[in-house]
Amino acid sequence: MNQPTLDILTTRRSVPSRQLGEPAPDDATLRRLVEAAIRVPDHGKLVPFRIRVLRGDAKHAFGRKLAKMAVEANPDLSEAKREKEQRRYEFAPLVLVVSARIDPESKVPELEQNLTAGCVAYNLLLGAQALGFGAQWLTGWAAYDRDVAKLLGMKKHEHVVGFIHIGTPSMEAPERDRPAYADIEETWEP
């Protein structure tokens, strides 16, 4: 067994996006990360995922558009929630938008296609950590909003799986309680 690989799994934790700053992966490192992350189970070889890169001015413009959409959809949003929406894309220097691109005509069930895209998102978290970066997988209302999907250029059968915020942690992320093996394992018997 490759112990360093297992160590990445057993020490994985999300770093809150507010604690992520520069530097982000450079272009070569980002390519290496993405090429590793897409090595996922893919029944039917459908490649039912896409990755959109948000950084720099484009990332900030996207964040401003989302904040405006949030306020327009809910004018009674509290001041604290308005500020949270306005600042959501100000911290991590890189955001990767992972989407599922579903082929409804395929014999492969939509659930399996979604799981493949989810595996890409999770591999991005693991890969970022392995490269010395921090990452957080976020969804929120924007992941389920069709206008946001359209803003990102997604077609009818494509939707956001998650926004993966990546950068250099400003502090060590705290560990959280994890379920005990005995609480989640059960042996099936006929």
Side-chain angles (χ1 to χ4, degrees):
M1 181 182 325
N2 186 340
Q3 189 62 37
T5 301
L6 193 57
D7 289 345
I8 289 171
L9 292 172
T10 59
T11 60
R12 195 214 69 80
R13 58 185 73 158
S14 293
V15 178
S17 63
R18 290 178 175 265
Q19 296 174 5
L20 296 171
E22 294 287 355
D26 60 23
D27 289 342
T29 304
L30 175 59
R31 182 178 183 133
R32 193 169 149 223
L33 171 61
V34 169
E35 287 176 344
I38 64 173
R39 296 181 62 91
V40 293
D42 182 3
H43 184 187
K45 300 177 187 171
L46 298 176
V47 190
F49 51 84
R50 292 293 180 269
I51 299 172
R52 289 167 176 81
V53 178
L54 301 176
R55 60 178 148 202
D57 292 339
K59 176 183 65 93
H60 293 290
F62 179 75
R64 287 191 299 274
K65 287 179 188 261
L66 258 57
K68 183 179 178 195
M69 291 169 75
V71 171
E72 287 172 354
N74 188 358
D76 297 329
L77 208 58
S78 72
E79 191 57 40
K81 288 186 179 179
R82 282 176 192 249
E83 181 179 345
K84 182 177 181 180
E85 290 294 340
Q86 290 168 350
R87 302 204 62 209
R88 188 180 306 273
Y89 288 86
E90 291 181 4
F91 304 102
L94 174 66
V95 178
L96 302 178
V97 184
V98 178
S99 62
R101 197 179 76 175
I102 304 301
D103 179 352
E105 304 300 318
S106 174
K107 66 177 179 153
V108 178
E110 287 187 25
L111 175 61
E112 287 189 32
Q113 295 179 56
N114 276 303
L115 289 170
T116 295
C119 287
V120 170
Y122 187 62
N123 277 355
L124 289 168
L125 296 179
L126 292 173
Q129 179 176 314
L131 292 167
F133 296 98
Q136 185 177 32
W137 178 346
L138 297 173
T139 52
W141 69 272
Y144 308 103
D145 189 284
R146 283 309 305 165
D147 289 331
V148 173
K150 288 177 189 173
L151 175 65
L152 289 163
M154 294 180 188
K155 305 293 186 230
K156 180 180 177 184
H157 296 290
E158 186 176 10
H159 61 271
V160 173
V161 169
F163 301 94
I164 311 300
H165 295 243
I166 301 174
T168 299
S170 61
M171 62 183 65
E172 189 171 330
E175 182 57 86
R176 67 172 178 82
D177 289 338
R178 306 288 176 169
Y181 178 79
D183 293 340
I184 59 159
E185 184 275 339
E186 57 181 73
T187 300
W188 182 83
E189 294 181 21

